[in-house]
Amino acid sequence: KSHSGFRGEPLCMGISADGDNLFVGLKDGKFYRISGLNSVVDDATGTITDSLFAVTTTQITLPMSGQCVTSVCVDPRDNNKVVVTCGNYGNDDYVFYSTNAMSDEPTFVSKQANLPKMPVYSSLIEMATGDVILGTERGIYRTKNINNPEWSNDGNIMGEVPVMELKQQLLYHEDEQIVNFTEE
């Protein structure tokens, strides 16, 4: 951990639901977690030159090399669960997952499984179901169980086109219905 930040060209970022942790993926394949952001309230608490600075930067080692980090997604229900995807051609693994991303030494493991070997550009963990959805070189893929993934092509209507970005509404609302409504 350091208070010095990092150097490099960021390609993607993902933030925890509580806003306290920012994950940053770089073009050169490096990956960082910046923690303690909620403690920054003004210039005095927002400078990395102060020895009492509460924000820390942790470089996290991913089990790949030579690939750029193309997306990072933090589970909206659990900061420890993080999906990281990678680009570039000619590699074996493009999807990595952690269940301990907030620990001092987080571990990420490949979740490539039956996903075709191709760049993955975007990822999200669906907040209501926990499904992991990927935007890839050849369309959208989904798994209902990231722990033991079985990827299926989810873009039959759209076809096999590159999907660079996926978005979801971050505020979850139960279905609301009006029952026995009568006008007076």
Side-chain angles (χ1 to χ4, degrees), residues 1-110:
K1 293 184 180 182
S2 76
H3 300 290
S4 61
F6 62 87
R7 295 191 190 283
E9 186 176 341
L11 285 183
C12 59
M13 293 184 276
I15 195 156
S16 60
D18 62 6
D20 199 40
N21 303 281
L22 177 69
F23 293 87
V24 182
L26 276 58
K27 186 176 183 178
D28 64 6
K30 291 181 181 160
F31 186 60
Y32 296 91
R33 180 185 68 220
I34 303 168
S35 301
L37 295 173
N38 287 340
S39 67
V40 178
V41 293
D42 56 27
D43 287 350
T45 59
T47 175
I48 61 174
T49 58
D50 187 339
S51 62
L52 299 175
F53 187 59
V55 175
T56 58
T57 301
T58 304
Q59 183 171 354
I60 299 170
T61 302
L62 297 174
M64 58 79 174
S65 64
Q67 292 173 266
C68 61
V69 179
T70 53
S71 79
V72 86
C73 179
V74 182
D75 188 326
R77 300 164 300 165
D78 185 344
N79 294 345
N80 273 300
K81 296 178 180 177
V82 175
V83 171
V84 173
T85 65
C86 297
N88 305 97
Y89 292 95
N91 296 288
D92 291 327
D93 299 302
Y94 292 88
V95 182
F96 301 94
Y97 180 64
S98 178
T99 57
N100 68 343
M102 298 309 305
S103 73
D104 286 342
E105 294 185 26
T107 55
F108 281 79
V109 295
S110 174

Side-chain angles (χ1 to χ4, degrees), residues 100-177:
N100 68 343
M102 298 309 305
S103 73
D104 286 342
E105 294 185 26
T107 55
F108 281 79
V109 295
S110 174
K111 294 298 177 177
Q112 188 71 26
N114 67 316
L115 184 70
K117 293 179 182 180
M118 63 186 159
V120 178
Y121 303 117
S122 186
S123 61
L124 67 81
I125 300 172
E126 206 284 321
M127 65 186 302
T129 64
D131 290 6
V132 174
I133 304 169
L134 305 176
T136 76
E137 180 70 13
R138 296 187 353 218
I140 297 172
Y141 283 77
R142 170 191 302 256
T143 186
K144 293 194 172 295
N145 181 358
I146 190 63
N147 294 308
N148 187 21
E150 183 69 31
W151 296 102
S152 62
N153 187 316
D154 205 27
N156 293 333
I157 295 171
M158 189 171 66
E160 288 192 1
V161 298
V163 176
M164 303 299 180
E165 189 171 8
L166 298 169
K167 295 276 187 184
Q168 78 173 310
Q169 175 180 317
L170 296 176
L171 300 174
Y172 180 72
H173 297 282
E174 294 289 334
D175 290 340
E176 296 178 12
Q177 298 178 357

